[in-house]
Amino acid sequence: MRKLSTLAILCAATAFLAGARLPPQGPMPEPRPDAGQATSPASPSSEKAEPPKPEEVPAPQPKPKPDVKDPQAPASSPPPVPQVAPSKSGSAEPMQGPPRPPGSPDSSQPPTEEGKPPGEQTLEEQHLTIEPESDAEHAECTAALQSLGVVFKDTPRIDDGNGCGIDKPIIVSEALPGIKLKPEATIRCPAALALARWMKDSVIPAASAALPEQGRITTVNQATSYMCRLRNGAGTGKISEHARGNAIDIASFHFEKGEDVAVRSRREDSTLTGAFQRTVSAAGCLYFTTVLDPESDAAHETHFHLDVIERKGGYRYCH
């Protein structure tokens, strides 16, 4: 009996113990959410939030600071140079202009003169020189004049200063045989040669065709040959070709019979005299590089301006 009772107690105890073990197995799902909660705070998202903090570390900030200092350092080096420059310019403002172009550091007026554009410079401010002439070319030119029968003579070199003058001038008294040039013209040989050829090949034939009743031309009246001045007698601007012996102004033609044919505006002149003037004006460009007639401007209302200036590319200006 005792054994039976003992067995019964053991069975009851085992049953009780078995029943007591069930509850701890049941709550097993509870720790799982706990584990999930533990993982959530330790999630990489929170760790990722922390690294930006080291990114905010002022490591890059000190770098721009030296960058700002670096430009200041070079900026500090050049200032001494400009400090010296202004001191020189301030103490010698009038000397900056004159010494370089004119080569005369003592003069204080040239700087302002040299700063002017060419069109506003006087003859003195342009510092021009006389163009030299080749002996061989001059001899060849004078030989051509002699073959045409031009009456002329050599004269000493002309130097009136400021670039005015002729290296090898001649004085022409007859443009062609029997055709006087009044007054005598002091010019360079190339200008005299162009005048002689123009007269021989164009003016005389045109006069014979248009004005045969007036006979032959006996005199060419010139208004200006060599003269030291600027163009059109202006106070400033380019030097005139008259000042270099390259130009001559023709005012009229004198015939054996009848009146002189004066050069004047004849654009609307329908007579043969008008045709003669327009013809010789147009033909002038075959011999001269510049031809200005009364239709050009007010400065040439009473004469032809004829010159032999040399331009780039052989360019000619005829009006």
Side-chain angles (χ1 to χ4, degrees), residues 2-14:
R2 287 181 181 177
K3 292 181 180 180
L4 294 171
S5 61
T6 302
L7 291 171
I9 292 168
L10 290 173
C11 292
T14 54

Side-chain angles (χ1 to χ4, degrees), residues 18 20 28 31 49 68 71 113 142 190 205 219 236 239 242-243 251 269 272 275-276 284 296 311:
M28 290 299 292
V68 177
E113 297 171 353
T142 54
T219 305
T236 59
I239 191 171
H242 287 286
D269 188 346
L272 287 173
F276 164 75
S296 301
R311 298 186 180 90

Side-chain angles (χ1 to χ4, degrees), residues 94-95 97-99 102-111 113:
M95 296 183 65
S104 56
D106 296 335
S107 59
S108 58
Q109 296 180 351
E113 297 171 353

Side-chain angles (χ1 to χ4, degrees), residues 1 16 74 77 100 108 114 131 159 161 163 171 190 205 230 266 311-312 318:
M1 294 295 290
F16 177 78
S77 57
R100 295 178 182 177
S108 58
E114 293 297 335
E131 297 180 359
D159 187 350
I171 299 176
L230 296 179
R266 296 183 185 275
R311 298 186 180 90
K312 293 181 180 179
C318 305

Side-chain angles (χ1 to χ4, degrees), residues 296-311:
S296 301
D297 53 36
H300 301 90
E301 288 180 339
T302 59
H303 63 273
F304 293 138
H305 168 88
L306 311 170
D307 72 48
V308 292
I309 183 176
E310 294 183 4
R311 298 186 180 90

